[in-house]
Amino acid sequence: MVGLYVRDQDEAFAFYVEKLGFRVHTDVRNGDYRWLTVQHPDQPSFQLGLFTPGAPTHDAGTAQALREIVAKGAMPPLVLVVDDCRAAYDRVRARGVEFTQEPVDRYGTVDAGFRDPSGNG
Amino acid sequence: MSQDPELLRRLLRAKDRMDAASDEDWPVQRLARVSGVSAAHFARSFKEAFGVPPHRYLLTRRIERAAALLRDTDLSITEIAFETGWESLGTFGRTFRDVTGKSPGATRARERAAPYDLESVPECFLRAAHRPALTIAVSEKRRREACGTKGSEETEVA
């Protein structure tokens, strides 16, 4: 499992499930804390965690710094491997995914860039 | 210095738009519209968020594109200048040299001789990584080089 910081777990859940085709793996709450992970049907061994910065994990200053870093797109790359990049681009773009780069053909492979609502790309 | 994450996300959108189309003109008004803020607010907030003024950020993106086209294509230097958003070959050549320290022709020769093994890095991250670090304005860089000083303390000139 690898986690991402997101600005809002409901929004992130809707994005990864409804727009990118993930499904919920674990969604448990304890007070303000919510452990939320999703997985893709094509790679059930992998979970993607969607976490918000904040109490009780972070103090207020750290949480604010993390929110700023995410919103600036400064978190590390998130890469999805698909069979047909152009088809996947057309499909998820039609669902409203924000693309930062159209599909580009390089050295026999095609890649495109997108961001989630929080700024992860 | 703390900035509103919601504003930062909208500034990032303007930065992404420049990345995707660095050959286009991006006056502050146009960028500010993408971010949904006033032009004055945009210029100030962008620099605070990303460390460089928006026009200088765009310049580094154009230099990166030009360097990649010099390496990867057989386009002439004139074609590359127009393809990457410059209005004259002279301005392109001078700015490219001032920023990177080498002329476009010398860059092409050197880059083609060097091994290249970054095929597996996604294009948008590669582009971001190859952007020159332009911590001072080009005019300031020219002035310092004309004076023969390097100056360890870099001064931000918008």
Side-chain angles (χ1 to χ4, degrees):
Chain A
M1 198 275 284
V2 174
L4 292 179
Y5 285 125
V6 298
R7 63 184 181 187
D8 180 287
Q9 285 175 307
D10 288 334
E11 176 188 62
F13 180 78
F15 176 82
Y16 284 94
V17 171
E18 290 163 21
K19 291 189 169 30
L20 295 189
F22 285 72
R23 60 193 179 196
V24 67
H25 181 280
T26 306
D27 186 1
V28 291
R29 295 164 195 257
N30 182 6
D32 287 339
Y33 189 71
R34 181 180 180 190
W35 177 272
L36 173 64
T37 74
V38 294
Q39 69 180 172
H40 197 277
D42 295 344
Q43 195 185 4
S45 60
F46 179 78
Q47 292 176 59
L48 184 66
L50 306 171
F51 304 113
T52 41
T57 321
H58 308 105
D59 63 276
T62 305
Q64 172 66 17
L66 289 170
R67 280 186 208 106
E68 290 180 28
I69 290 166
V70 171
K72 281 193 228 191
M75 293 300 271
L78 167 72
V79 178
L80 301 180
V81 178
V82 294
D83 289 333
D84 182 340
C85 182
R86 289 179 202 281
Y89 169 83
D90 289 338
R91 193 171 58 245
V92 304
R93 191 161 175 267
R95 293 181 199 150
V97 172
E98 178 180 354
F99 274 84
T100 55
Q101 177 206 299
E102 290 177 11
V104 176
D105 201 337
R106 304 161 58 235
Y107 312 102
T109 62
V110 180
D111 65 56
F114 72 96
R115 285 199 193 282
D116 76 4
S118 304
N120 294 297
Chain B
M1 263 187 305
S2 178
Q3 286 182 283
D4 174 15
E6 206 269 324
L7 168 66
L8 291 171
R9 182 65 184 86
R10 288 186 281 122
L11 296 173
L12 176 63
R13 192 159 291 131
K15 181 166 165 282
D16 284 340
R17 293 281 297 275
M18 281 195 275
D19 293 351
S22 62
D23 58 308
E24 293 180 13
D25 286 330
W26 288 102
V28 170
Q29 285 290 359
R30 184 182 177 196
L31 293 165
R33 265 199 306 277
V34 173
S35 293
V37 294
S38 73
H41 189 201
F42 179 85
R44 195 171 56 246
S45 309
F46 186 96
K47 181 167 179 263
E48 190 181 336
F50 301 112
V52 285
H55 64 273
R56 199 187 308 157
Y57 178 78
L58 179 64
L59 174 62
T60 67
R61 279 287 178 170
R62 287 182 173 184
I63 296 286
E64 182 282 325
R65 278 295 74 211
L69 292 173
L70 288 165
R71 185 188 61 228
D72 296 338
T73 73
D74 292 320
L75 294 174
S76 71
I77 291 172
T78 307
E79 286 169 316
I80 290 173
F82 292 113
E83 189 106 335
T84 53
W86 269 276
E87 280 169 11
S88 91
L89 181 60
T91 311
F92 167 62
R94 193 165 58 249
T95 311
F96 191 93
R97 201 170 46 244
D98 287 340
V99 173
T100 68
K102 288 202 166 53
S103 71
T107 298
R108 169 166 269 173
R110 190 197 52 192
E111 286 291 321
R112 288 194 168 173
Y116 189 75
D117 55 4
L118 292 166
E119 291 88 342
S120 56
V121 182
E123 177 75 1
C124 52
F125 297 107
L126 204 58
R127 291 187 185 188
H130 283 175
R131 197 172 64 82
L134 194 58
T135 52
I136 54 171
V138 174
S139 56
E140 173 67 7
K141 203 168 165 176
R142 281 184 190 138
R143 193 189 60 76
R144 286 189 195 174
E145 279 163 16
C147 298
T149 57
K150 281 270 178 201
S152 58
E153 280 300 307
E154 290 186 334
T155 315
E156 186 64 41
V157 180

